[in-house]
Amino acid sequence: MTEHDVSDLSARERGRLMKTAVSPRPIAWISTRSPDGVDNLAPFSAYNYVSSAEPVVSFSVPAGDRDELKDTARNVLETGEFAVNVAAEALAEEMDATSASLDADESEFDFAEVERAPCTTIDASRVADAPVTMECTLYGTMTVHDRLLTLGDVRHVHVDEGVQTDGQIDATKLETVARLGGPYYTDSDPIDLERQF
Ligand SMILES: Cc1cc2nc3c(=O)[nH]c(=O)nc-3n(C[C@H](O)[C@H](O)[C@H](O)COP(=O)(O)O)c2cc1C
């Protein structure tokens, strides 16, 4: 075993270690609408749910002043709304393409040719072919060192009939793509081990 005192590692080494050790990570493919009406779309794997009974999700981006923030974070702070589209394996290339750094007045939906559909309860578009979309309102933010952690209350959920069995969402049908360390993605094929307890 190699042991590391984190303070001896460079920022790059810490990033590599954390992003590889904490994997696979689910990907929130987040859609927002800017106050100017531009539909934004980008993937975030520093993402998870925080609570499920009263559903809350979180994602993080580099913290900064308004002009330094990623478009997604700025839109969420300015509108109080965002949608998390579940990243399906079938749309992995498009999802990856939407990580391009475009100007704020350019839509990644157009750039990556992702079909959009209207959200129901928030003023944003969703990914029409995503198996699940969660419409969220801003719960709050917290600055954690150099990151802005953003929390959203999940208010309304779209679930494709194709990933359901007997009216319930089915893990064996939801073919998600997830992020590994480095440039790697992985699929969500279940392994041959079921919970015993
Ligand atoms: C799979 C994947 C996961 C990513 N996860 C994050 C993340 O968790 N936080 C982050 O700040 N950027 C993340 N990025 C980079 C953003 O997607 C990228 O900076 C994007 O341009 C942000 O778009 P926006 O400025 O429209 O919000 C990720 C990129 C990819 C491809």
Side-chain angles (χ1 to χ4, degrees):
M1 277 287 179
T2 305
E3 297 188 27
H4 300 283
D5 185 322
V6 167
S7 60
D8 292 337
L9 300 175
S10 67
R12 191 184 174 82
E13 289 168 330
R14 290 179 216 170
R16 182 176 181 149
L17 187 54
M18 291 305 296
K19 290 176 188 174
T20 305
V22 183
S23 75
R25 293 185 304 284
I27 297 170
W29 202 8
I30 298 184
S31 48
T32 51
R33 182 168 290 155
S34 74
D36 292 338
V38 180
D39 280 337
N40 199 87
L41 181 64
F44 296 90
S45 64
Y47 157 70
N48 219 307
Y49 81 90
V50 176
S51 68
S52 58
E54 295 196 59
V56 172
V57 291
S58 71
F59 68 97
S60 81
V61 296
D65 294 336
R66 183 188 177 281
D67 292 340
E68 297 164 340
L69 285 176
K70 296 195 179 188
D71 295 342
T72 300
R74 194 173 50 253
N75 291 346
V76 172
L77 292 181
E78 291 184 351
T79 66
E81 299 177 332
F82 64 99
V84 174
N85 303 276
V86 168
E89 201 183 332
L91 291 176
E93 272 185 38
E94 288 87 342
M95 177 276 293
D96 187 71
T98 61
S99 69
S101 296
L102 305 184
D103 289 343
D105 60 359
E106 227 185 311
S107 174
E108 292 83 1
F109 277 96
D110 298 330
F111 175 76
E113 298 183 357
V114 177
E115 194 177 331
R116 63 188 103 184
C119 282
T120 305
T121 62
I122 64 172
D123 187 24
S125 286
R126 61 188 173 90
V127 174
D129 296 323
V132 180
T133 301
M134 294 171 271
E135 299 184 9
C136 305
T137 55
L138 181 61
Y139 175 91
T141 60
M142 181 182 176
T143 303
V144 181
H145 297 300
D146 61 347
R147 306 285 293 189
L148 182 71
L149 180 68
T150 301
L151 301 163
D153 275 309
V154 178
R155 301 284 190 186
H156 192 85
V157 186
H158 303 250
V159 185
D160 191 324
E161 282 82 8
V163 299
Q164 298 183 32
T165 300
D166 298 333
Q168 298 292 319
I169 189 165
D170 184 339
T172 66
K173 293 182 175 172
L174 192 64
E175 295 180 341
T176 54
V177 64
R179 186 90 191 259
L180 300 174
Y184 306 110
Y185 288 105
T186 188
D187 63 26
S188 61
D189 271 357
I191 60 169
D192 193 15
L193 173 69
E194 288 182 21
R195 287 190 58 184
Q196 301 174 65
F197 310 107

